[in-house]
Amino acid sequence: MSLPQAMTIPTLVTERLVLRGHTRHDFAGSLALWTDPGVIRFIGGRASSENEVWQRLLRYAGMWAMLGYGYWAITDRSDGRFLGEAGLADLKRELSPPLGEVPESGWALDPAVHGRGLASEAMRAVLDWADTRLDRPETCCIIDPVNTASIHLAGKLGYRPRHTGTLAGKELTVFYRPRNTSKL
């Protein structure tokens, strides 16, 4: 069995953001993100260690190499500042029922930039890319039912709740979004 060819991670540019592949220089920003109580309260509820964040960055690179999709670092277009992360993943979560082969979308931004529409802007770029580059009928996302901001954003992006799932004993809502084929 041969490995897939090395993939260049595409750079997505929006009005205010640049979404690019992670580098080792994103470690500090990613560590700050994944230890911020405003970020983690709905995503596991516990701060990540330095090792866990480093493994996360390596996993992001590996997803692009193995799957042809993954996560981007979100940076401010005006000054290059690290703002967060967004993308698509196949994390093989121990979710019941399982997601199967459906790419799971996700986003996390520094709480200091919440409320400015940046998560929406980033995810629209991610999903526009996915709609034209991935041959998948749909994507999904899983959201804590009390995370009203992410539920609202998911709805704006075209995600609709389909069922609940259980992950590590916690009930989550699983949303799905059909591929937008009008852009093909």
Side-chain angles (χ1 to χ4, degrees), residues 116-132:
R116 294 175 34 199
L118 297 176
S120 177
E121 188 172 325
M123 283 307 299
R124 286 188 195 286
V126 167
L127 294 172
D128 285 350
W129 177 88
D131 287 341
T132 60

Side-chain angles (χ1 to χ4, degrees), residues 21-99:
H22 287 80
T23 71
R24 62 190 176 101
H25 303 291
D26 294 318
F27 178 73
S30 191
L31 181 63
L33 182 73
W34 292 108
T35 56
D36 188 298
V39 172
I40 63 170
R41 68 182 167 159
F42 297 122
I43 308 174
R46 134 184 122 64
S48 295
S49 69
E50 286 189 8
N51 177 263
E52 289 167 326
V53 171
W54 182 247
Q55 294 297 320
R56 179 186 298 271
L57 293 179
L58 296 175
R59 182 172 61 229
Y60 292 157
M63 284 189 288
W64 282 104
M66 293 183 67
L67 303 173
Y69 60 88
Y71 267 67
W72 285 269
I74 303 170
T75 61
D76 187 303
R77 186 172 172 181
S78 67
D79 62 14
R81 185 171 38 108
F82 181 91
L83 301 177
E85 301 170 342
L88 299 160
D90 180 354
L91 299 171
K92 303 292 186 213
R93 294 183 188 273
E94 294 179 2
L95 182 73
S96 178
L99 300 175

